Amino acid sequence: MERMGTDGDAWDAAWDRSLWIGGCGGAVYRDGEDLGEMTSLPPSITTTDSCSSAGDGGSPDIPRRKRSSKPRTRARSPTQLVRLRRLRRAKANDRERNRMHMLNHALEKLRTVLPAFPEETRLTKIETLRFANSYIVALARTLESAGGGGGDDGGAGGGVRDADGSVLLAVGNVTVRLGRDGNT
DNA sequence: TAGGCCATCTGGTCCT
DNA sequence: AGGACCAGATGGCCTA
């Protein structure tokens, strides 16, 4: 499997140009699984017969209403049902893939607004979320203390003003320096 | 080699 | 019926 880089502008460009898989054609079945050989269908897939009995009145005690000339669902052969199920799965996989890509894209954006780390130490997903949380708390504390407020719940630390006017923020076990112009 | 991280597939559930 | 969201399973890649 090819691993896709998720950094910044190139990713954005690819995303904007919709280069991501645009259909179900690319789906790969694990271990060459062939659903065509399935002998039973999941409960969610019902045959036309069962649908029609339920839909037309349910219990056998109740007199059946006159059948509409147009069936609610088209009759499908088992082969057609298997194909339909495969198609739906492939489409669901595609959507799920895109959903995760969007999630990763958002995570990548979040990384860019967090204080920079050396290139080699790219934050993992969980680290990014935790650090973002601590960072926000620390920034909020700094704002609060700048406005004369107080309060402390033992989480990320507040800011300490440096000699040159920049603010030192304790975010977890990392100290971040915010310059007077707001840069880190 | 074990363990961490990640992408992907999958089935279930809820909602429209 | 179909889409969104979620969590578990699986397998690949990388590093200590």
Side-chain angles (χ1 to χ4, degrees):
Chain A
M1 172 201 353
E2 183 184 345
R3 185 163 288 194
M4 186 76 175
T6 51
D7 50 278
D9 297 341
W11 204 99
D12 277 332
W15 183 262
D16 292 342
R17 289 198 306 270
S18 300
L19 287 181
W20 284 104
I21 303 160
C24 326
V28 175
Y29 292 94
R30 187 181 304 178
D31 299 330
E33 184 186 19
D34 184 5
L35 294 176
E37 295 191 359
M38 284 177 52
T39 54
S40 63
L41 293 169
S44 59
I45 306 283
T46 53
T47 66
T48 309
D49 288 344
S50 64
C51 283
S52 64
S53 68
D56 282 350
S59 161
D61 300 337
I62 302 171
R64 295 172 74 91
R65 266 180 268 146
K66 194 174 177 184
R67 242 175 225 284
S68 150
S69 59
K70 198 173 182 181
R72 268 194 235 176
T73 57
R74 196 187 307 179
R76 293 188 177 98
S77 71
T79 310
Q80 283 176 314
L81 285 172
V82 167
R83 246 186 245 147
L84 181 65
R85 181 171 180 261
R86 237 153 134 184
L87 179 65
R88 280 209 277 256
R89 223 324 110 198
K91 284 169 77 176
N93 288 348
D94 197 36
R95 286 193 303 273
E96 178 65 8
R97 216 180 298 125
N98 286 331
R99 197 179 70 83
M100 296 310 294
H101 286 163
M102 285 191 287
L103 188 63
N104 288 337
H105 187 44
L107 210 49
E108 201 55 47
K109 276 192 165 179
L110 180 58
R111 284 189 181 102
T112 65
V113 299
L114 291 175
F117 277 82
E119 292 251 347
E120 312 87 71
T121 59
R122 179 177 182 272
L123 295 175
T124 65
K125 291 181 175 182
I126 186 69
E127 285 170 346
T128 301
L129 292 176
R130 285 179 176 150
F131 186 65
N133 179 66
S134 300
Y135 188 50
I136 290 168
V137 169
L139 286 175
R141 287 242 173 91
T142 304
L143 278 177
E144 206 173 296
S145 63
D152 186 9
D153 62 7
V160 176
R161 195 163 288 280
D162 209 358
D164 64 355
S166 57
V167 174
L168 295 179
L169 269 183
V171 185
N173 55 359
V174 178
T175 301
V176 178
R177 177 192 295 272
L178 291 176
R180 297 177 73 171
D181 56 359
N183 293 330
T184 56

